[in-house]
Amino acid sequence: MRSSDYPMIEPDEAWRRIAAALSPLPPVQVPLGEAHGLILAEEVVAREDLPPFAASAMDGYAVIAADPAPEREVIAQWEAGQSGVGTVRLGTAVRIMTGAPLPPGADAVVPFEDADERNGFVRLRTPVRTGQYVRPAGQDVAIGDSLLRAGMRLGPAEIGLLASLGHTAVSVHPRPRVAILTTGSELVPAEATPGPGQIRDSNGPALTAAVIEAGCSPLPLGPVADDAHALRAAILDGAARADMLLTSGGVSMGVKDLVKPLLAELGTIHFGRVAIKPGKPLTFALVGGVPVFGLPGFPVSSLVCFENFVRPALRLMAGHTRLWRPEVPVRLTHDLHHDAERTEFQRSVVTQREGVLWATTTGSQVSGRLKSLVGANALLRLPRGLGDFYAGDEVIAIMVERPEVERQT
Ligand code: AMP
Ligand code: MG
């Protein structure tokens, strides 16, 4: 039997080595329209007030609150987008629409509902308070305010705020580009019809989807045969064109498992075996400074390793400060056999019943069975050395998805 040259390390140690080798991608300026989902690389300080001028918050009449006149002459009408003419003096009012600037002299707005206008004069039905229904200049944001901090993710609200203040380009960490190289002489592209002994490449499409879900740009390099020349060229190509390279397959002990020796030849291997199930042969290397994950070929192993190691690594490179999925304690609905030697990640469905989260695994957990991931919303992390588990036991679930629910009405 062949034995691995690489010592088996614990998953925490594997993550420490990955994190030590990575840093956020250097910031770039992007137009606001391309910034959604990216992480801000610098603090943004307001260059303008928001609102830029005192504006009416209602459709109604701009008045002087302390004016004792029983009725006021309506001297003008100001609509949103108009700056209008006229000054409000005692005994007068301006008909005003929401968003229009408050006319000079006025200090309050009375909504149409609280006033009666007849023959060009308006009577107020309620007492008026200074400042009512007026949005003062700078109420939301004042010049010099810190708008957004470095490290914030740009979602719709952040983008709207930047747009409202004229920030049309922002400094962000770019979206990591991830090359995906599937290896194996048995593989044909998913569109092709497999010949004898051949199978379709499912890791290519699955990892491409996982990369997109992680907010990154995939660069699929297609299946490559277990041939040292072809693989060497493909690894170098991927490392040259992307910020990270993922390979799948070829990291075990078979005679045609060429990925580890090639990564050792072309770069530095930081680890080559981890005490996890699935995913024991997971490998991490740097090739020309570019991080490379050698993922195992079994479809479940490659996706579970992606979830536990590649996804947080991509989030780190994308500038996120929060890298990890939420973890929650759950109770088992059934007994579980647990590997004594390795930390296991069992695919599971977590549901809530009467305030308690219950986990049921998705059937056979063998690493070739992609169906064990279908419909799963959690990975149960079962640390090694704890023996078997029983129905009712509490374990930790890594929530990979918090699905939307139907409205309970
Ligand atoms: P390996 O890690 O290369 O020894 O592959 C382990 C198992 O996963 C073998 O049964 C392969 O045929 C299968 N496998 C490897 N790569 C892929 C892939 N891209 N898509 C589907 N199955 C794969
Ligand atoms: Mg293979």
Side-chain angles (χ1 to χ4, degrees), residues 35-44 146-155 157-159 161-162 170-173 315 318-322:
H36 177 239
L38 299 175
I39 303 297
L40 204 55
E42 62 181 16
E43 184 186 28
V44 179
S146 175
L147 272 191
L148 299 172
R149 293 185 312 277
M152 280 186 144
R153 178 180 181 277
L154 296 175
E158 291 75 17
I159 288 186
L161 187 59
L162 291 168
V170 276
S171 174
V172 293
H173 299 284
R315 287 176 70 82
H320 285 270
T321 46
R322 286 171 297 189

PDB file of all heavy atoms in Angstrom, residues 35-44 146-155 157-159 161-162 170-173 315 318-322:
ATOM      1  N   ALA A  35     -21.002  47.753  -8.079  1.00  0.00           N
ATOM      2  CA  ALA A  35     -20.466  47.559  -6.730  1.00  0.00           C
ATOM      3  C   ALA A  35     -21.321  46.644  -5.861  1.00  0.00           C
ATOM      4  O   ALA A  35     -20.906  46.260  -4.771  1.00  0.00           O
ATOM      5  CB  ALA A  35     -20.301  48.909  -6.043  1.00  0.00           C
ATOM      6  N   HIS A  36     -22.494  46.263  -6.348  1.00  0.00           N
ATOM      7  CA  HIS A  36     -23.395  45.508  -5.487  1.00  0.00           C
ATOM      8  C   HIS A  36     -22.763  44.209  -4.990  1.00  0.00           C
ATOM      9  O   HIS A  36     -22.178  43.449  -5.772  1.00  0.00           O
ATOM     10  CB  HIS A  36     -24.707  45.172  -6.222  1.00  0.00           C
ATOM     11  CG  HIS A  36     -25.605  44.331  -5.388  1.00  0.00           C
ATOM     12  ND1 HIS A  36     -26.044  43.097  -5.785  1.00  0.00           N
ATOM     13  CD2 HIS A  36     -26.096  44.535  -4.146  1.00  0.00           C
ATOM     14  CE1 HIS A  36     -26.787  42.578  -4.820  1.00  0.00           C
ATOM     15  NE2 HIS A  36     -26.832  43.438  -3.824  1.00  0.00           N
ATOM     16  N   GLY A  37     -22.848  43.964  -3.698  1.00  0.00           N
ATOM     17  CA  GLY A  37     -22.337  42.730  -3.106  1.00  0.00           C
ATOM     18  C   GLY A  37     -20.859  42.785  -2.758  1.00  0.00           C
ATOM     19  O   GLY A  37     -20.353  41.869  -2.107  1.00  0.00           O
ATOM     20  N   LEU A  38     -20.169  43.838  -3.185  1.00  0.00           N
ATOM     21  CA  LEU A  38     -18.734  43.936  -2.899  1.00  0.00           C
ATOM     22  C   LEU A  38     -18.519  44.603  -1.537  1.00  0.00           C
ATOM     23  O   LEU A  38     -19.435  45.186  -0.957  1.00  0.00           O
ATOM     24  CB  LEU A  38     -18.020  44.714  -4.011  1.00  0.00           C
ATOM     25  CG  LEU A  38     -18.123  44.052  -5.397  1.00  0.00           C
ATOM     26  CD1 LEU A  38     -17.509  44.928  -6.470  1.00  0.00           C
ATOM     27  CD2 LEU A  38     -17.450  42.673  -5.387  1.00  0.00           C
ATOM     28  N   ILE A  39     -17.283  44.507  -1.059  1.00  0.00           N
ATOM     29  CA  ILE A  39     -16.959  45.026   0.267  1.00  0.00           C
ATOM     30  C   ILE A  39     -16.177  46.323   0.120  1.00  0.00           C
ATOM     31  O   ILE A  39     -15.169  46.382  -0.590  1.00  0.00           O
ATOM     32  CB  ILE A  39     -16.116  43.996   1.056  1.00  0.00           C
ATOM     33  CG1 ILE A  39     -16.861  42.662   1.151  1.00  0.00           C
ATOM     34  CG2 ILE A  39     -15.777  44.543   2.436  1.00  0.00           C
ATOM     35  CD1 ILE A  39     -18.161  42.708   1.894  1.00  0.00           C
ATOM     36  N   LEU A  40     -16.663  47.334   0.826  1.00  0.00           N
ATOM     37  CA  LEU A  40     -16.038  48.651   0.782  1.00  0.00           C
ATOM     38  C   LEU A  40     -14.634  48.580   1.370  1.00  0.00           C
ATOM     39  O   LEU A  40     -14.422  47.988   2.427  1.00  0.00           O
ATOM     40  CB  LEU A  40     -16.916  49.594   1.602  1.00  0.00           C
ATOM     41  CG  LEU A  40     -16.861  51.071   1.325  1.00  0.00           C
ATOM     42  CD1 LEU A  40     -17.144  51.363  -0.156  1.00  0.00           C
ATOM     43  CD2 LEU A  40     -17.890  51.759   2.198  1.00  0.00           C
ATOM     44  N   ALA A  41     -13.666  49.202   0.677  1.00  0.00           N
ATOM     45  CA  ALA A  41     -12.283  49.123   1.131  1.00  0.00           C
ATOM     46  C   ALA A  41     -11.852  50.359   1.902  1.00  0.00           C
ATOM     47  O   ALA A  41     -10.771  50.383   2.478  1.00  0.00           O
ATOM     48  CB  ALA A  41     -11.356  48.898  -0.068  1.00  0.00           C
ATOM     49  N   GLU A  42     -12.684  51.411   1.904  1.00  0.00           N
ATOM     50  CA  GLU A  42     -12.310  52.617   2.668  1.00  0.00           C
ATOM     51  C   GLU A  42     -13.563  53.264   3.229  1.00  0.00           C
ATOM     52  O   GLU A  42     -14.668  53.049   2.731  1.00  0.00           O
ATOM     53  CB  GLU A  42     -11.557  53.602   1.764  1.00  0.00           C
ATOM     54  CG  GLU A  42     -12.431  54.080   0.622  1.00  0.00           C
ATOM     55  CD  GLU A  42     -11.732  55.048  -0.329  1.00  0.00           C
ATOM     56  OE1 GLU A  42     -10.496  55.138  -0.302  1.00  0.00           O
ATOM     57  OE2 GLU A  42     -12.461  55.704  -1.089  1.00  0.00           O
ATOM     58  N   GLU A  43     -13.357  54.071   4.277  1.00  0.00           N
ATOM     59  CA  GLU A  43     -14.484  54.795   4.858  1.00  0.00           C
ATOM     60  C   GLU A  43     -14.975  55.830   3.841  1.00  0.00           C
ATOM     61  O   GLU A  43     -14.172  56.430   3.124  1.00  0.00           O
ATOM     62  CB  GLU A  43     -14.016  55.503   6.130  1.00  0.00           C
ATOM     63  CG  GLU A  43     -15.143  56.195   6.859  1.00  0.00           C
ATOM     64  CD  GLU A  43     -14.658  57.025   8.043  1.00  0.00           C
ATOM     65  OE1 GLU A  43     -13.511  57.508   8.011  1.00  0.00           O
ATOM     66  OE2 GLU A  43     -15.448  57.181   8.983  1.00  0.00           O
ATOM     67  N   VAL A  44     -16.301  56.004   3.776  1.00  0.00           N
ATOM     68  CA  VAL A  44     -16.848  57.057   2.910  1.00  0.00           C
ATOM     69  C   VAL A  44     -17.406  58.157   3.815  1.00  0.00           C
ATOM     70  O   VAL A  44     -18.210  57.896   4.712  1.00  0.00           O
ATOM     71  CB  VAL A  44     -17.968  56.519   1.995  1.00  0.00           C
ATOM     72  CG1 VAL A  44     -18.530  57.648   1.135  1.00  0.00           C
ATOM     73  CG2 VAL A  44     -17.446  55.390   1.124  1.00  0.00           C
ATOM     74  N   SER A 146     -19.466  60.316   8.882  1.00  0.00           N
ATOM     75  CA  SER A 146     -19.009  59.036   8.344  1.00  0.00           C
ATOM     76  C   SER A 146     -20.240  58.309   7.820  1.00  0.00           C
ATOM     77  O   SER A 146     -21.170  58.018   8.562  1.00  0.00           O
ATOM     78  CB  SER A 146     -18.336  58.219   9.445  1.00  0.00           C
ATOM     79  OG  SER A 146     -18.013  56.942   8.945  1.00  0.00           O
ATOM     80  N   LEU A 147     -20.252  58.038   6.500  1.00  0.00           N
ATOM     81  CA  LEU A 147     -21.421  57.410   5.877  1.00  0.00           C
ATOM     82  C   LEU A 147     -21.368  55.909   6.013  1.00  0.00           C
ATOM     83  O   LEU A 147     -22.301  55.259   6.453  1.00  0.00           O
ATOM     84  CB  LEU A 147     -21.413  57.703   4.375  1.00  0.00           C
ATOM     85  CG  LEU A 147     -22.067  58.949   3.851  1.00  0.00           C
ATOM     86  CD1 LEU A 147     -22.147  58.835   2.344  1.00  0.00           C
ATOM     87  CD2 LEU A 147     -23.452  59.093   4.449  1.00  0.00           C
ATOM     88  N   LEU A 148     -20.265  55.331   5.570  1.00  0.00           N
ATOM     89  CA  LEU A 148     -20.108  53.876   5.546  1.00  0.00           C
ATOM     90  C   LEU A 148     -18.671  53.563   5.951  1.00  0.00           C
ATOM     91  O   LEU A 148     -17.741  54.289   5.600  1.00  0.00           O
ATOM     92  CB  LEU A 148     -20.359  53.329   4.136  1.00  0.00           C
ATOM     93  CG  LEU A 148     -21.751  53.567   3.532  1.00  0.00           C
ATOM     94  CD1 LEU A 148     -21.779  53.143   2.074  1.00  0.00           C
ATOM     95  CD2 LEU A 148     -22.808  52.803   4.322  1.00  0.00           C
ATOM     96  N   ARG A 149     -18.507  52.480   6.683  1.00  0.00           N
ATOM     97  CA  ARG A 149     -17.174  52.087   7.144  1.00  0.00           C
ATOM     98  C   ARG A 149     -16.555  51.083   6.187  1.00  0.00           C
ATOM     99  O   ARG A 149     -17.259  50.321   5.517  1.00  0.00           O
ATOM    100  CB  ARG A 149     -17.266  51.428   8.522  1.00  0.00           C
ATOM    101  CG  ARG A 149     -17.695  52.347   9.651  1.00  0.00           C
ATOM    102  CD  ARG A 149     -17.638  51.615  10.991  1.00  0.00           C
ATOM    103  NE  ARG A 149     -18.287  50.299  10.905  1.00  0.00           N
ATOM    104  CZ  ARG A 149     -19.592  50.108  11.026  1.00  0.00           C
ATOM    105  NH1 ARG A 149     -20.406  51.131  11.205  1.00  0.00           N
ATOM    106  NH2 ARG A 149     -20.103  48.883  10.957  1.00  0.00           N
ATOM    107  N   ALA A 150     -15.230  51.076   6.157  1.00  0.00           N
ATOM    108  CA  ALA A 150     -14.521  50.031   5.413  1.00  0.00           C
ATOM    109  C   ALA A 150     -14.958  48.674   5.957  1.00  0.00           C
ATOM    110  O   ALA A 150     -15.196  48.529   7.155  1.00  0.00           O
ATOM    111  CB  ALA A 150     -13.018  50.204   5.575  1.00  0.00           C
ATOM    112  N   GLY A 151     -15.115  47.698   5.078  1.00  0.00           N
ATOM    113  CA  GLY A 151     -15.523  46.363   5.514  1.00  0.00           C
ATOM    114  C   GLY A 151     -17.014  46.119   5.376  1.00  0.00           C
ATOM    115  O   GLY A 151     -17.469  44.989   5.542  1.00  0.00           O
ATOM    116  N   MET A 152     -17.783  47.200   5.080  1.00  0.00           N
ATOM    117  CA  MET A 152     -19.229  46.999   4.918  1.00  0.00           C
ATOM    118  C   MET A 152     -19.538  46.428   3.544  1.00  0.00           C
ATOM    119  O   MET A 152     -18.922  46.798   2.548  1.00  0.00           O
ATOM    120  CB  MET A 152     -19.960  48.332   5.046  1.00  0.00           C
ATOM    121  CG  MET A 152     -20.166  48.763   6.469  1.00  0.00           C
ATOM    122  SD  MET A 152     -21.183  50.260   6.473  1.00  0.00           S
ATOM    123  CE  MET A 152     -22.142  49.971   7.933  1.00  0.00           C
ATOM    124  N   ARG A 153     -20.540  45.560   3.509  1.00  0.00           N
ATOM    125  CA  ARG A 153     -20.995  45.007   2.234  1.00  0.00           C
ATOM    126  C   ARG A 153     -21.963  45.997   1.593  1.00  0.00           C
ATOM    127  O   ARG A 153     -22.836  46.550   2.254  1.00  0.00           O
ATOM    128  CB  ARG A 153     -21.698  43.681   2.487  1.00  0.00           C
ATOM    129  CG  ARG A 153     -22.253  43.039   1.248  1.00  0.00           C
ATOM    130  CD  ARG A 153     -22.937  41.724   1.598  1.00  0.00           C
ATOM    131  NE  ARG A 153     -23.457  41.088   0.407  1.00  0.00           N
ATOM    132  CZ  ARG A 153     -24.631  41.382  -0.156  1.00  0.00           C
ATOM    133  NH1 ARG A 153     -25.404  42.302   0.379  1.00  0.00           N
ATOM    134  NH2 ARG A 153     -25.027  40.751  -1.240  1.00  0.00           N
ATOM    135  N   LEU A 154     -21.795  46.210   0.290  1.00  0.00           N
ATOM    136  CA  LEU A 154     -22.646  47.167  -0.406  1.00  0.00           C
ATOM    137  C   LEU A 154     -23.911  46.471  -0.897  1.00  0.00           C
ATOM    138  O   LEU A 154     -23.903  45.769  -1.905  1.00  0.00           O
ATOM    139  CB  LEU A 154     -21.878  47.810  -1.566  1.00  0.00           C
ATOM    140  CG  LEU A 154     -20.664  48.642  -1.112  1.00  0.00           C
ATOM    141  CD1 LEU A 154     -19.877  49.142  -2.309  1.00  0.00           C
ATOM    142  CD2 LEU A 154     -21.098  49.800  -0.225  1.00  0.00           C
ATOM    143  N   GLY A 155     -24.980  46.640  -0.138  1.00  0.00           N
ATOM    144  CA  GLY A 155     -26.301  46.135  -0.528  1.00  0.00           C
ATOM    145  C   GLY A 155     -27.127  47.288  -1.086  1.00  0.00           C
ATOM    146  O   GLY A 155     -26.615  48.404  -1.258  1.00  0.00           O
ATOM    147  N   ALA A 157     -29.349  49.308   0.195  1.00  0.00           N
ATOM    148  CA  ALA A 157     -29.448  50.528   1.004  1.00  0.00           C
ATOM    149  C   ALA A 157     -28.147  51.331   0.922  1.00  0.00           C
ATOM    150  O   ALA A 157     -28.170  52.564   0.773  1.00  0.00           O
ATOM    151  CB  ALA A 157     -29.760  50.173   2.457  1.00  0.00           C
ATOM    152  N   GLU A 158     -27.015  50.647   1.009  1.00  0.00           N
ATOM    153  CA  GLU A 158     -25.720  51.340   0.964  1.00  0.00           C
ATOM    154  C   GLU A 158     -25.525  51.994  -0.409  1.00  0.00           C
ATOM    155  O   GLU A 158     -25.031  53.119  -0.516  1.00  0.00           O
ATOM    156  CB  GLU A 158     -24.580  50.345   1.236  1.00  0.00           C
ATOM    157  CG  GLU A 158     -24.533  49.813   2.677  1.00  0.00           C
ATOM    158  CD  GLU A 158     -25.607  48.785   2.993  1.00  0.00           C
ATOM    159  OE1 GLU A 158     -26.205  48.220   2.047  1.00  0.00           O
ATOM    160  OE2 GLU A 158     -25.873  48.545   4.189  1.00  0.00           O
ATOM    161  N   ILE A 159     -25.935  51.293  -1.456  1.00  0.00           N
ATOM    162  CA  ILE A 159     -25.779  51.834  -2.805  1.00  0.00           C
ATOM    163  C   ILE A 159     -26.694  53.044  -2.985  1.00  0.00           C
ATOM    164  O   ILE A 159     -26.300  54.063  -3.561  1.00  0.00           O
ATOM    165  CB  ILE A 159     -26.025  50.717  -3.845  1.00  0.00           C
ATOM    166  CG1 ILE A 159     -24.817  49.778  -3.781  1.00  0.00           C
ATOM    167  CG2 ILE A 159     -26.259  51.294  -5.243  1.00  0.00           C
ATOM    168  CD1 ILE A 159     -24.760  48.709  -4.793  1.00  0.00           C
ATOM    169  N   LEU A 161     -27.679  55.093  -0.627  1.00  0.00           N
ATOM    170  CA  LEU A 161     -27.105  56.202   0.145  1.00  0.00           C
ATOM    171  C   LEU A 161     -25.951  56.854  -0.623  1.00  0.00           C
ATOM    172  O   LEU A 161     -25.854  58.082  -0.714  1.00  0.00           O
ATOM    173  CB  LEU A 161     -26.620  55.656   1.497  1.00  0.00           C
ATOM    174  CG  LEU A 161     -26.145  56.677   2.517  1.00  0.00           C
ATOM    175  CD1 LEU A 161     -27.242  57.670   2.860  1.00  0.00           C
ATOM    176  CD2 LEU A 161     -25.671  55.971   3.791  1.00  0.00           C
ATOM    177  N   LEU A 162     -25.069  56.027  -1.193  1.00  0.00           N
ATOM    178  CA  LEU A 162     -23.930  56.564  -1.956  1.00  0.00           C
ATOM    179  C   LEU A 162     -24.433  57.361  -3.160  1.00  0.00           C
ATOM    180  O   LEU A 162     -23.942  58.451  -3.456  1.00  0.00           O
ATOM    181  CB  LEU A 162     -23.011  55.428  -2.405  1.00  0.00           C
ATOM    182  CG  LEU A 162     -22.234  54.742  -1.270  1.00  0.00           C
ATOM    183  CD1 LEU A 162     -21.579  53.449  -1.764  1.00  0.00           C
ATOM    184  CD2 LEU A 162     -21.177  55.675  -0.697  1.00  0.00           C
ATOM    185  N   VAL A 170     -16.691  53.829  -6.157  1.00  0.00           N
ATOM    186  CA  VAL A 170     -16.271  53.499  -4.793  1.00  0.00           C
ATOM    187  C   VAL A 170     -15.063  52.580  -4.829  1.00  0.00           C
ATOM    188  O   VAL A 170     -14.844  51.832  -5.790  1.00  0.00           O
ATOM    189  CB  VAL A 170     -17.391  52.787  -3.986  1.00  0.00           C
ATOM    190  CG1 VAL A 170     -18.333  53.781  -3.381  1.00  0.00           C
ATOM    191  CG2 VAL A 170     -18.125  51.766  -4.838  1.00  0.00           C
ATOM    192  N   SER A 171     -14.297  52.627  -3.748  1.00  0.00           N
ATOM    193  CA  SER A 171     -13.128  51.762  -3.605  1.00  0.00           C
ATOM    194  C   SER A 171     -13.567  50.478  -2.898  1.00  0.00           C
ATOM    195  O   SER A 171     -14.034  50.519  -1.767  1.00  0.00           O
ATOM    196  CB  SER A 171     -12.059  52.489  -2.793  1.00  0.00           C
ATOM    197  OG  SER A 171     -10.983  51.624  -2.535  1.00  0.00           O
ATOM    198  N   VAL A 172     -13.442  49.367  -3.592  1.00  0.00           N
ATOM    199  CA  VAL A 172     -13.909  48.080  -3.051  1.00  0.00           C
ATOM    200  C   VAL A 172     -12.843  47.019  -3.282  1.00  0.00           C
ATOM    201  O   VAL A 172     -11.930  47.195  -4.087  1.00  0.00           O
ATOM    202  CB  VAL A 172     -15.207  47.607  -3.755  1.00  0.00           C
ATOM    203  CG1 VAL A 172     -16.367  48.516  -3.438  1.00  0.00           C
ATOM    204  CG2 VAL A 172     -14.978  47.501  -5.258  1.00  0.00           C
ATOM    205  N   HIS A 173     -12.989  45.913  -2.546  1.00  0.00           N
ATOM    206  CA  HIS A 173     -12.199  44.727  -2.872  1.00  0.00           C
ATOM    207  C   HIS A 173     -12.873  44.053  -4.058  1.00  0.00           C
ATOM    208  O   HIS A 173     -14.088  43.854  -4.045  1.00  0.00           O
ATOM    209  CB  HIS A 173     -12.135  43.782  -1.676  1.00  0.00           C
ATOM    210  CG  HIS A 173     -11.479  44.410  -0.488  1.00  0.00           C
ATOM    211  ND1 HIS A 173     -10.121  44.581  -0.396  1.00  0.00           N
ATOM    212  CD2 HIS A 173     -12.004  44.938   0.642  1.00  0.00           C
ATOM    213  CE1 HIS A 173      -9.830  45.192   0.742  1.00  0.00           C
ATOM    214  NE2 HIS A 173     -10.958  45.419   1.390  1.00  0.00           N
ATOM    215  N   ARG A 315     -14.287  34.509   1.008  1.00  0.00           N
ATOM    216  CA  ARG A 315     -14.834  35.681   1.710  1.00  0.00           C
ATOM    217  C   ARG A 315     -13.707  36.534   2.286  1.00  0.00           C
ATOM    218  O   ARG A 315     -13.770  37.758   2.251  1.00  0.00           O
ATOM    219  CB  ARG A 315     -15.815  35.238   2.814  1.00  0.00           C
ATOM    220  CG  ARG A 315     -17.131  34.731   2.233  1.00  0.00           C
ATOM    221  CD  ARG A 315     -18.058  34.203   3.315  1.00  0.00           C
ATOM    222  NE  ARG A 315     -18.592  35.239   4.179  1.00  0.00           N
ATOM    223  CZ  ARG A 315     -19.635  36.011   3.888  1.00  0.00           C
ATOM    224  NH1 ARG A 315     -20.263  35.878   2.742  1.00  0.00           N
ATOM    225  NH2 ARG A 315     -20.057  36.907   4.746  1.00  0.00           N
ATOM    226  N   ALA A 318     -12.309  38.480  -0.499  1.00  0.00           N
ATOM    227  CA  ALA A 318     -13.253  39.499  -0.960  1.00  0.00           C
ATOM    228  C   ALA A 318     -13.382  40.645   0.040  1.00  0.00           C
ATOM    229  O   ALA A 318     -14.127  41.589  -0.203  1.00  0.00           O
ATOM    230  CB  ALA A 318     -14.623  38.871  -1.207  1.00  0.00           C
ATOM    231  N   GLY A 319     -12.698  40.547   1.187  1.00  0.00           N
ATOM    232  CA  GLY A 319     -12.688  41.634   2.160  1.00  0.00           C
ATOM    233  C   GLY A 319     -13.718  41.519   3.259  1.00  0.00           C
ATOM    234  O   GLY A 319     -13.830  42.412   4.100  1.00  0.00           O
ATOM    235  N   HIS A 320     -14.503  40.431   3.279  1.00  0.00           N
ATOM    236  CA  HIS A 320     -15.490  40.266   4.344  1.00  0.00           C
ATOM    237  C   HIS A 320     -14.782  40.156   5.699  1.00  0.00           C
ATOM    238  O   HIS A 320     -13.701  39.561   5.786  1.00  0.00           O
ATOM    239  CB  HIS A 320     -16.297  38.971   4.157  1.00  0.00           C
ATOM    240  CG  HIS A 320     -17.311  39.047   3.068  1.00  0.00           C
ATOM    241  ND1 HIS A 320     -18.602  39.460   3.293  1.00  0.00           N
ATOM    242  CD2 HIS A 320     -17.235  38.749   1.754  1.00  0.00           C
ATOM    243  CE1 HIS A 320     -19.284  39.415   2.151  1.00  0.00           C
ATOM    244  NE2 HIS A 320     -18.476  38.983   1.204  1.00  0.00           N
ATOM    245  N   THR A 321     -15.432  40.705   6.729  1.00  0.00           N
ATOM    246  CA  THR A 321     -14.886  40.500   8.072  1.00  0.00           C
ATOM    247  C   THR A 321     -15.594  39.326   8.748  1.00  0.00           C
ATOM    248  O   THR A 321     -15.055  38.707   9.650  1.00  0.00           O
ATOM    249  CB  THR A 321     -15.056  41.767   8.932  1.00  0.00           C
ATOM    250  OG1 THR A 321     -16.389  42.249   8.749  1.00  0.00           O
ATOM    251  CG2 THR A 321     -14.082  42.843   8.491  1.00  0.00           C
ATOM    252  N   ARG A 322     -16.810  39.008   8.305  1.00  0.00           N
ATOM    253  CA  ARG A 322     -17.514  37.840   8.852  1.00  0.00           C
ATOM    254  C   ARG A 322     -17.442  36.726   7.825  1.00  0.00           C
ATOM    255  O   ARG A 322     -18.014  36.840   6.735  1.00  0.00           O
ATOM    256  CB  ARG A 322     -18.958  38.197   9.192  1.00  0.00           C
ATOM    257  CG  ARG A 322     -19.040  39.042  10.456  1.00  0.00           C
ATOM    258  CD  ARG A 322     -20.424  39.570  10.669  1.00  0.00           C
ATOM    259  NE  ARG A 322     -20.787  40.447   9.561  1.00  0.00           N
ATOM    260  CZ  ARG A 322     -21.876  41.193   9.542  1.00  0.00           C
ATOM    261  NH1 ARG A 322     -22.726  41.141  10.534  1.00  0.00           N
ATOM    262  NH2 ARG A 322     -22.140  41.960   8.510  1.00  0.00           N
TER     263      ARG A 322
END
